[in-house]
């Protein structure tokens, strides 16, 4: 599924224009002057393959594939350092998250296999279902998304921590706690999905 | 003046009375110089003290005044009396504040300060200003483009008649053909209408402005207030001042083959793009189609030592404007700006943001090549790779500005005199001054060619001894490069404005035109009263030459920094007083003392030097004369006193207008008088010179390089004469420098001429 | 409108820095009466606090001396220090301006003999050195101070020390009882030449000025380099007086930033290059890193850029640093992304200089003139009675300030002499 156009040459602006018009905060991305404040402010800056600044330049350069397969869009932890510091007030966080959504929509492999994509999926599953993140289930779903044997391996590696957490009541066994009025949450999420479907 | 009645007024305040015996100081005036009137006051600058002087002047007991108190740099307003000569003896900063109280050397210094002032009382006079003939207040503006139109209008609005000369057959210049102009008013976002046509119409309609189209200046002679201008049509006009507004031309794009110019008809310059935009429809020359993808290549020629070494300033803004116009006309257009540094200084930053909002794409890097198929290869700095831009319909080269400081298209062979003095404001080749390098020092870049007069005929064709051109800086722009005084021209009464002075946009040009007109108005009004303009504002004196003694050596005509002295048909020097800025460089140049001012001459300096009582060699006290530039060195010595810095009391400081006014004769006079050493203190010369008379310090350096011969002929050591370059901010060093020189002299020993 | 309709032909220039002084002398030297108002104790403004100018690396005091002499010798110029404008009423040719003076506690018969300063004991932060050192409570603001009058700090008024200071003056020039005064001026035209203030670095919290040791501003650097500054011209880091050998110069500290100053302050790039020159002139082994977004060496100043660029010990890092932290050695550590190499850096320095921008000194609403959203007074042609000069009109360097101030003088002259309207010329 191709939501966004795929440029055939460098600096074909079709993808950039799609981002400007369709990605949350994308219109303000146009004002990026490539100063580097965002990438330098990012606590995960050195673990991103490009960092937001370069990613924005790549969007302009029409490098859709590289952008949507980058780990940058998955590694944002929403600390908002970049957003408050950006001298051009570009909402970097929104843009990265919405680009991640686009990567999912377009079915990029990285959107399924990137570790943060996996984690995000597990996180969402728990949050949407229970209204909370259940540490045990989120971790389990995340670990086992790598396959059974890998999941077992990862679980065992962290067993001691899990036990300590249970002991100190940081993690509980049994049914996940639910929020009150779970139905309301469902309604909210349904409405959000409806808005998203309409706007995109 | 009838009989000279000198009143000597001494001040014992501010520590002077504690430092020296005032009675002994007064005795110098009364006993040695027979001053008829000498009083000492506790606070001479106070109302009472000043009233006492005024009373004596009004009573007629006194008609010239010597004030022995603080430095002449202060209280000038207190000790100013209409039409009365006031001589100042600096007893405070240079005596009481810089030397030990009660010391005999301090007293000797104070006495000599009085002697130096008294020595002038028999000769000095109120200068008689040059007021011969009629003075025109009309202002000629050369160039009818945006700068010239702005200047003409500003001058007319200030009540002056204007003569506007335009070479082409219509007003408006290059700007007339432009579609729009950059934002120049708040909120600094909106592309503005080009108002050049309206401005041209207003100028045409203005009765105070006489417009001459299709004319150039054939010849300009005379001087401020009295310029005689012969136009190309043979008509002769008289004007008081000239504003040079000849503007610029785009850099020759045929030299930009490496950026694809000529490779395709669709590679155009920003000026050509402006013309296309003005038509309302931008199309490709090759096929008449509207371009959908346009690349703007910045710094096409500019910031390139092989082309234009400077930044043309306006190209970034122009490109932003053009790119926005293209997108506004067709939102589908893809506009790319390939830039190295985006230069939108000041409030123009907002315009950069506007361009980004509109979707202009900025690619930091350098265009490496443009193919005939318009494939643009960019060394893309941010992607870190060479990027090929394909499918480009048009390439716009942001060519830079070349100043029209000559009529470049009119062949002209510079004769010997036409070789304009070109002073490098910055030597592009020299590295900055550093304490050292960690490793090897970098090889200095190839030095810029000096004295490179741009080809072409002179704009004004000045009939000056020093050539027909308006002096230019190394990059071809006209004066001035001063920071504090950007209109400090080397051709008095002629003020450049607009892009012929510095690359600038229309907004800045309008301001610059007003500034140049301000100076033009000031000069016509000042010279009509016989007054000098900046920096010796209001000085009524001017050089007078005793032709009987003149040897026609021509040094004065060659060395005048302002081209004020011409040679007549008999090869005698001829002063044009209103061109003169009163620095006295001519006076210092003259080997036979034929040039003097009413209130400043080689004799006066020598008289001051000789007035000092030089002790004999048995006293063990050397005497050293310091000839100090009044703008830098003298204030620095003054401020050393203000900071209570002690230095040798064996020096005697004589202020001079400029080190350029110091004659070798002053030096030999000092040595003949028994001084043991002489220091010439002036400002920094050479590249980045700081002399406000352009080259006084350099002149002194050059002249003093020849002082060795004089010293040798007198059988004296060359170390006895030193030139020191002192900046005004070196008050903390100057005491030590003086002391070190005194030590050198003490080591060499006394001047054997002492006592002769 | 002709001059007959104008009640006053006097030009009021507000601000006695290089811009205001220029407007004043240029107008006065063309034959107009000028009142030059200055809020502080001396003329000279910001440039008096600079060590040197770019690109010639010459001293501002050289030009100040000329301007001061021009003012001293010109009877048409009336200088009023410690005075500021409280309100403006009226129209071109007839403005009534309310001004207030703050007490200097020293009268105009002061001879600058220094007796009061010697009598003073307590020390106060030196305004001239941005509080980087102290001066006696009775002080001459600096060695070039014009008018050359002492100032008695209000902190000693009403104290025995104050009495002692007053008693030390042999001519009774110390006036401890002086009170603020308000009075009216009638003028025909007004030029705002109020200049600028350095942007408050404390507002850029990520850069740690005041929190991280040895993070200073560009204006503080000027004082460190000046012979009459707190270190007598030797550049030393404030925390321990150590010679700085690794120095970072950070551009756009506040400027080009929608969270701070949205405009570019124009001068900072060149000023920082000058700071690199100061450092390299003093230290053979100094390494200077210049952090920048775009280097804006417009027009002929490009040559200065090229000169500094030729020094292998000056490095250029295209990056707006994200933050400055305290390094392990207690000094500043600059963090960010090098946009050309994609390197995420955290580099320790001996000294970090923030190129803080210029902020208009005009207080909103005061000038009765058209102002832009940034606080600059929009310049006008001579048909308006109120204009602006220098940095009051926008971020300018010294040369451009003088250019603008000379233009403003002409507009003021046009205003007071009655500009011919378009109707009169057709």
């Amino acid at each position: 599924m191709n939501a966004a156009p795929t440029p055939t040459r460098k600096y074909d602006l079709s993808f950039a224009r799609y981002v400007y018009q369709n990605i949350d905060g994308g219109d303000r991305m146009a004002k990026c002057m490539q100063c580097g404040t965002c990438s330098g402010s990012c606590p995960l800056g050195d673990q991103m393959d490009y960092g937001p600044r370069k990613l924005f330049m790549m969007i302009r350069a029409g490098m859709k594939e590289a952008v949507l397969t980058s780990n940058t869009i998955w590694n944002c932890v929403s600390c908002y350092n970049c957003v408050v510091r950006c001298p051009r007030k570009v909402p970097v966080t929104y843009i990265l998250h919405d680009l991640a959504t686009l990567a999912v929509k377009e079915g990029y492999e990285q959107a399924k296999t990137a570790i943060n994509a996996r984690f995000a999926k597990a996180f969402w599953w728990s949050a949407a279902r229970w209204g909370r993140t259940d540490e045990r289930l989120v971790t389990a779903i995340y670990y086992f998304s790598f396959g059974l044997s890998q999941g077992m391996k990862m679980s065992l590696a962290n067993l001691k921590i899990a036990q300590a957490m249970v002991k100190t009541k940081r993690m509980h066994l049994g049914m996940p706690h639910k929020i009150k009025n779970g139905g309301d949450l469902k309604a909210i999420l349904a409405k959000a999905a409806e808005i998203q479907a309409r706007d995109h | 003046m009838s009989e000279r009645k000198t009143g000597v007024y001494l001040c014992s305040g501010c520590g002077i009375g504690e430092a020296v015996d005032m009675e002994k100081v007064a005795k110098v005036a009364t006993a040695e110089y027979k001053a008829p009137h000498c009083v000492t006051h506790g606070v001479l600058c106070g109302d009472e003290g000043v009233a006492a002087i005024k009373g004596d002047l009004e009573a007629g007991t006194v008609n010239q005044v010597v004030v022995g108190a603080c430095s002449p740099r202060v209280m000038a307003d207190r000790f100013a009396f209409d039409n009365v000569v006031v001589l100042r003896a600096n007893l405070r900063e240079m005596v009481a504040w810089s030397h030990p109280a009660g010391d005999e050397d301090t007293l000797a210094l104070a006495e000599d300060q009085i002697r130096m002032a008294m020595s002038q009382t028999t000769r000095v006079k109120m200068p008689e200003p040059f007021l011969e003939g009629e003075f025109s207040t009309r202002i000629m503006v050369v160039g009818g483009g945006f700068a010239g139109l702005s200047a003409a209008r500003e001058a007319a609005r200030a009540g002056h008649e204007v003569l506007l000369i335009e070479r082409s057959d219509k007003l408006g210049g290059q700007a007339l053909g432009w579609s729009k102009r950059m934002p120049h008013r708040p909120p600094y976002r909106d592309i503005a209408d080009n108002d050049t046509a309206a401005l041209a119409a207003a100028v045409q309609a203005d009765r105070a402005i006489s417009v001459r189209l299709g004319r150039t200046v054939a010849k300009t002679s005379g001087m401020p207030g009295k310029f005689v201008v012969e136009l190309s049509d043979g008509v002769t006009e008289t004007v008081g001042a000239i504003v040079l507004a000849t503007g610029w031309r785009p850099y020759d794009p045929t030299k930009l083959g490496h950026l694809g110019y000529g490779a395709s008809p669709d590679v155009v310059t920003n000026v050509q793009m402006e013309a296309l935009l003005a038509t309302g429809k931008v199309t490709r020359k090759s096929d008449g189609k509207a371009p959908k993808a346009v690349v703007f290549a910045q710094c096409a020629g500019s910031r390139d030592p092989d082309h234009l070494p400077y930044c043309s300033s306006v190209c970034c803004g122009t490109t932003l404007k053009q790119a926005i116009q293209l997108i506004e006309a067709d939102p589908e257009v893809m506009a790319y700006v390939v830039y190295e540094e985006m230069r939108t200084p000041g409030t123009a930053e907002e315009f950069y943001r506007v361009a980004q909002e509109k979707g202009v794409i900025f690619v930091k890097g350098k265009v490496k090549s443009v193919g005939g198929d318009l494939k643009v290869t960019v060394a893309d700095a941010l992607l870190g790779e060479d990027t090929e831009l394909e499918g480009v319909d048009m390439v716009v080269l942001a060519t830079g500005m070349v100043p029209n400081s000559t009529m470049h298209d009119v062949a002209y062979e510079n004769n010997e005199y036409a070789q304009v003095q070109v002073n490098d404001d910055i030597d592009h080749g020299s590295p900055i001054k550093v304490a050292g390098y960690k490793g090897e020092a970098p090889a200095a870049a190839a030095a810029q060619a000096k004295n490179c007069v741009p080809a072409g005929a002179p704009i004004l064709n000045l009939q000056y001894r020093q050539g027909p051109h308006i002096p230019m800086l190394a990059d071809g722009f006209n004066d001035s490069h001063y920071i504090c005084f950007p209109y400090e021209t080397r051709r008095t009464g002629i003020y450049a404005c607009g892009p012929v002075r510095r690359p600038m946009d229309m907004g800045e040009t309008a301001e610059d035109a007003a500034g140049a007109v301000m100076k033009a108005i000031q000069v016509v009004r000042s010279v009509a009263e016989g007054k000098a303009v900046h920096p010796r504002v209001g000085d009524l004196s001017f050089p007078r030459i005793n032709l009987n003694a003149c040897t026609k050596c021509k040094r004065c005509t060659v060395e005048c920094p302002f081209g004020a002295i011409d040679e007549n048909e008999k090869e005698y020097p001829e002063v044009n007083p209103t061109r003169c800025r009163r620095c006295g460089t001519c006076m210092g140049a003259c080997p036979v003392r034929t040039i003097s001012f009413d209130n400043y001459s080689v004799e006066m300096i020598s008289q001051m030097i000789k007035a000092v009582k030089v002790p004999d060699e048995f006293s063990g006290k050397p005497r050293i004369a310091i000839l100090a530039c009044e703008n830098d060195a003298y204030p620095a010595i003054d401020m050393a006193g203000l900071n209570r810095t002690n230095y040798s009391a064996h020096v005697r400081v004589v202020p001079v207008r400029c080190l350029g006014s110091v004659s070798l004769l002053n030096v030999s006079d000092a040595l003949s008088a028994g001084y043991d050493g002489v220091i010439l203190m002036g400002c920094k010369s050479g590249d980045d010179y700081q002399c406000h008379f352009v080259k006084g310090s350099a002149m002194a350096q050059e002249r003093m390089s020849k002082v060795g011969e004089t010293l040798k002929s007198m059988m004296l050591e060359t170390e006895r004469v030193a030139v020191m370059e002192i900046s005004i901010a070196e008050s903390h060093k100057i005491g030590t420098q003086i002391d070190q020189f005194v030590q050198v002299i003490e080591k060499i020993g006394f001047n054997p001429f002492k006592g002769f | 409108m002709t001059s007959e309709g104008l009640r006053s032909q006097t030009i009021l220039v507000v601000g006695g820095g290089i811009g205001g002084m220029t407007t004043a002398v240029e107008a006065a030297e063309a034959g107009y009466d000028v009142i030059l108002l200055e809020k502080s104790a001396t003329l000279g403004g910001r440039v008096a606090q600079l060590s040197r100018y770019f690109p010639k690396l010459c001293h501002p005091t050289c030009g100040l001396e000329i301007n001061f002499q021009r003012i001293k010798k010109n009877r048409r110029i009336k200088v009023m220090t410690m005075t500021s404008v409280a309100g403006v009423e009226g129209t071109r040719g007839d403005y009534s301006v309310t001004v207030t003076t703050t007490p200097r506690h020293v009268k105009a018969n002061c001879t600058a003999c220094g007796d009061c300063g010697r009598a003073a004991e307590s020390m106060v932060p030196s305004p001239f050195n941005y509080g980087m050192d102290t001066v006696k409570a009775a002080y001459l603001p600096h060695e070039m101070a014009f008018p050359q009058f002492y100032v008695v700090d209000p902190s000693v008024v009403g104290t025995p020390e104050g009495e002692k200071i007053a008693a030390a003056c042999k001519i009774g020039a110390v006036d401890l009882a002086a009170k603020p005064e308000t009075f009216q001026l009638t003028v025909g035209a007004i030029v705002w030449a109020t200049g600028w203030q350095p942007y408050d670095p404390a507002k850029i919290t990520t850069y740690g000025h005041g929190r991280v040791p040895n993070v200073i501003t560009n204006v503080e650097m000027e004082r460190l380099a000046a012979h009459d500054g707190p270190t007598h011209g030797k550049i030393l880091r404030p925390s321990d007086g150590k010679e700085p050998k690794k120095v970072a110069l950070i551009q756009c500290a506040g400027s080009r930033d929608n969270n701070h100053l949205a405009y570019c302050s124009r001068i900072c790039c060149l000023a920082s290059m000058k700071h690199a020159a100061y450092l390299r002139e003093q230290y053979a082994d100094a390494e200077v890193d210049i952090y920048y977004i775009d280097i804006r060496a417009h027009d002929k100043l490009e040559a200065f850029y090229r000169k500094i660029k030729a020094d292998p010990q000056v490095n250029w890092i295209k990056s707006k640093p994200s933050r400055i932290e305290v390094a392990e050695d207690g000094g500043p550590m600059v963090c960010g992304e090098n946009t050309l190499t994609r390197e995420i850096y955290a580099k320790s320095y001996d000294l970090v200089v923030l190129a803080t921008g210029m902020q208009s000194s005009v207080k909103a609403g005061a000038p009765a003139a058209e102002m832009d959203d940034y606080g600059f007074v929009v310049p006008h042609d001579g048909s308006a009675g109120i204009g602006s000069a220098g940095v009051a009109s926008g971020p300018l360097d010294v040369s451009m300030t003088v250019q603008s101030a000379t233009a403003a003088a002409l507009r003021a002259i046009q205003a007071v002499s009655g500009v011919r309207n378009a109707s009169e010329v057709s």
Side-chain angles (χ1 to χ4, degrees), chain A residues 2-200:
Chain A
N2 275 354
T6 304
T8 52
R9 54 172 190 257
K10 275 284 169 68
Y11 287 99
D12 171 345
L13 298 186
S14 55
F15 178 60
R17 284 176 174 170
Y18 173 87
V19 171
Y20 288 179
Q21 285 158 20
N22 298 291
I23 293 294
D24 194 7
D27 53 339
R28 283 186 278 170
M29 196 199 91
K31 283 205 275 187
C32 167
M33 61 172 166
Q34 294 287 301
C35 70
T37 300
C38 50
S39 303
S41 297
C42 184
L44 269 73
D46 52 2
Q47 288 170 50
M48 287 179 169
D49 39 16
Y50 304 117
R53 177 203 55 81
K54 187 164 182 182
L55 198 78
F56 294 168
M57 200 62 221
M58 288 160 63
I59 291 170
R60 293 170 184 177
M63 297 160 77
K64 181 187 171 191
E65 285 285 319
V67 168
L68 295 182
T69 57
S70 75
N71 73 8
T72 307
I73 56 178
W74 292 106
N75 280 3
C76 171
V77 294
S78 304
C79 75
Y80 286 89
N81 267 347
C82 53
V83 179
V84 297
R85 288 176 191 166
C86 174
R88 289 281 168 89
K89 298 199 168 182
V90 177
V92 182
T93 306
Y94 302 170
I95 296 169
L96 295 184
H97 290 329
D98 214 15
L99 285 170
T101 308
L102 180 64
V104 173
K105 258 195 225 165
E106 299 234 338
Y108 280 93
E109 192 56 24
Q110 283 75 8
K112 295 172 193 145
T113 57
I115 53 171
N116 280 337
R118 294 169 193 270
F119 185 82
K121 216 170 172 181
F123 183 95
W124 182 248
W125 176 84
S126 173
R129 193 176 172 94
W130 309 102
R132 296 178 182 273
T133 53
D134 183 278
E135 289 82 359
R136 179 190 38 145
L137 293 178
V138 169
T139 313
I141 292 170
Y142 170 65
Y143 287 168
F144 287 97
S145 75
F146 292 92
L148 189 66
S149 68
Q150 181 68 11
M152 289 299 288
K153 229 158 122 189
M154 289 167 90
S155 303
L156 288 171
N158 287 301
L159 188 62
K160 267 197 173 147
I161 298 172
Q163 284 168 341
M165 285 177 79
V166 172
K167 210 170 164 187
T168 53
K169 297 194 170 152
R170 296 281 171 207
M171 195 158 88
H172 82 114
L173 305 170
M175 282 300 282
H177 295 306
K178 268 192 201 173
I179 54 163
K180 286 179 204 160
N181 305 326
D184 291 355
L185 176 69
K186 291 234 153 53
I188 291 169
L189 292 177
K191 184 78 188 167
E194 184 196 322
I195 291 170
Q196 191 179 28
R198 190 182 64 211
D199 290 357
H200 287 277

Side-chain angles (χ1 to χ4, degrees), chain B residues 673-718:
Chain B
Y675 280 80
D676 303 289
V678 179
I679 311 175
L680 278 74
M681 277 191 190
C683 52
K684 196 177 149 196
S685 62
D687 294 325
D688 292 344
Y689 64 88
Q690 287 152 26
C691 177
H692 288 272
F693 296 116
V694 186
K695 52 182 181 179
S697 199
M699 281 295 161
Q701 288 276 14
E702 200 183 308
R703 287 178 204 150
M704 292 309 138
S705 67
K706 292 167 195 148
V707 81
E709 293 158 36
T710 314
L711 290 166
K712 262 183 230 157
S713 71
M714 294 170 83
M715 310 276 276
L716 289 172
E717 299 78 1
T718 50

Side-chain angles (χ1 to χ4, degrees), chain B residues 14 43 45 73-75 77 80-82 92 97 153-154 156-158 185-186 188 205-208 303 305 309-311 313 339-347 349-350 352-353 364 381-382 425-428 430-438 442 473 475 477 481-487 501-504 508 510-512 514-515 517-519 521-522 525-526 534-535 537 631-632 635 639 642-644 684 688-690 692 727-729 731-732, chain C residues 18 25-27 29-30 32 53-63 65-67 69-70 72 75 110-114 118 140 143-144 148 170-171 227 256 258 262-264 266 277 280-285 287 292-300 302-313 318 339-340 370 372 374 376 378-383 395 398-400 402-404 406-407 409-411 413-414 418-420 422 424-426:
Chain B
C14 290
V43 200
C45 63
R73 288 175 62 244
V74 295
M75 301 292 176
D77 51 335
F81 311 100
D82 289 337
R92 190 174 79 158
W97 285 2
R153 189 94 173 110
E154 293 284 3
R157 286 165 77 104
R185 293 192 59 82
Y188 315 108
D206 196 321
R207 283 180 309 214
R303 303 181 62 222
Y310 48 86
C311 161
S313 293
Y339 73 102
E340 282 183 273
E341 316 284 349
M342 183 46 55
R343 291 187 172 167
T344 47
T347 50
E349 182 72 7
E350 185 63 19
Y352 179 22
R353 283 188 287 258
K364 183 179 161 71
L382 294 168
D425 42 347
I426 292 163
D427 183 345
H428 304 283
S430 73
I432 53 165
K433 202 176 116 197
V434 297
Y437 295 96
K438 276 171 143 178
L473 302 169
D475 45 23
F477 289 87
H481 77 302
Y482 282 95
I483 296 162
C484 311
F485 308 105
Y487 299 104
R501 195 166 78 75
R502 187 154 57 76
M504 57 176 86
E508 205 191 325
E511 292 287 293
D512 198 29
V517 165
M518 178 71 243
K519 299 306 288 186
I521 287 174
Q522 207 176 66
R525 294 184 187 182
S526 295
H534 183 91
V537 179
N631 187 55
D632 286 71
M639 287 187 276
L642 183 76
N643 297 328
R644 306 302 196 273
K684 196 177 149 196
D688 292 344
Y689 64 88
Q690 287 152 26
H692 288 272
S727 91
I728 190 168
S731 60
H732 59 304
Chain C
I18 185 78
V25 289
E26 297 301 346
E29 286 169 10
Y32 295 84
Y53 283 143
F54 62 77
K56 292 178 73 173
L57 298 176
C58 54
H59 297 274
T61 36
C62 166
E65 174 74 12
I66 290 180
N67 277 327
Q69 294 299 341
R70 286 164 86 186
K72 286 175 200 178
R75 293 185 190 177
C110 170
T111 62
C113 73
R118 282 182 285 277
L140 191 64
E143 64 175 17
M144 282 282 290
Q148 202 184 54
K170 295 189 185 77
I171 55 172
H227 81 277
R256 299 186 67 188
N258 284 76
Y263 50 85
C264 158
R266 191 190 296 266
R280 294 288 293 115
E281 203 172 60
Q282 295 195 5
Y283 303 118
D285 52 348
E287 286 270 351
Y292 70 99
I293 307 172
D294 292 285
I295 289 296
R296 293 185 165 170
H298 52 91
D299 60 66
K300 304 195 228 177
E302 178 72 16
F304 189 57
Y305 176 29
R306 199 173 314 121
K307 253 176 140 171
I308 304 293
K309 238 178 11 183
D311 186 337
Q313 282 164 241
K318 186 181 147 40
T339 64
L340 298 183
E370 185 192 351
D372 69 17
Y374 303 135
F376 296 115
V378 182
H380 269 283
D381 67 21
S383 60
V398 174
S399 184
M400 291 175 81
V402 176
Q403 187 181 308
S404 144
T406 310
L410 182 77
R411 271 74 182 261
I413 284 173
Q414 292 168 341
V419 177
R420 295 173 319 125
E424 288 171 78
V425 296
S426 49

Side-chain angles (χ1 to χ4, degrees), chain C residues 11-15 19-21 23-24 34-38 189-191 193:
Chain C
I11 296 162
L12 174 68
V13 180
V14 188
M21 285 196 297
T23 301
V34 178
I35 299 171
L36 179 57
L37 283 196
E38 166 56 40
I190 301 171
V191 179

Side-chain angles (χ1 to χ4, degrees), chain B residues 153-286:
Chain B
R153 189 94 173 110
E154 293 284 3
R157 286 165 77 104
H160 284 258
E161 297 283 314
V162 177
L163 176 67
L164 177 62
I165 311 293
E166 165 55 38
R167 193 181 172 191
S168 77
D169 57 3
K170 68 174 179 218
L171 293 177
Q174 297 207 57
L176 193 65
W178 296 345
S179 58
K180 295 272 179 184
R181 59 184 282 204
M182 289 177 233
H184 54 104
R185 293 192 59 82
Y188 315 108
R189 292 180 60 86
D190 310 318
I191 292 174
D193 285 336
N194 178 10
D195 41 5
T196 308
L199 182 62
V203 164
Q204 285 281 18
D206 196 321
R207 283 180 309 214
I209 304 171
S210 166
V211 178
R212 307 290 169 82
L213 296 174
R215 274 41 155 234
T216 55
V217 174
K219 256 184 202 175
T220 304
S221 55
M223 54 182 139
K226 301 164 176 298
F227 283 116
V228 178
V229 182
E230 193 187 309
L231 301 182
S232 52
D233 57 6
V235 173
T236 299
E237 298 276 357
T238 303
V239 297
I242 299 169
V243 173
L244 195 72
T246 43
W248 63 286
R249 59 185 186 277
Y251 185 66
D252 179 1
T254 61
K255 292 178 184 165
L256 301 173
H258 61 295
L259 296 177
Y261 195 82
S264 157
D266 299 326
V267 178
V268 299
T269 69
N270 47 2
V271 177
Q272 291 161 341
M273 174 53 95
E274 201 56 47
L276 287 172
L277 285 163
T279 65
K281 193 167 161 49
V282 176
T283 52
R284 309 210 307 170
K285 202 170 177 187
S286 61

Side-chain angles (χ1 to χ4, degrees), chain B residues 250-264 267-270 272 297-304 306-308 367-371 395-402:
Chain B
Y251 185 66
D252 179 1
T254 61
K255 292 178 184 165
L256 301 173
H258 61 295
L259 296 177
Y261 195 82
S264 157
V267 178
V268 299
T269 69
N270 47 2
Q272 291 161 341
Q298 296 308 107
C299 300
S302 301
R303 303 181 62 222
D304 182 340
D306 295 333
H307 297 275
L308 304 174
V367 171
K368 289 179 84 173
S369 65
V370 178
V395 175
V396 183
L397 304 181
T399 49
M401 287 182 148
V402 180

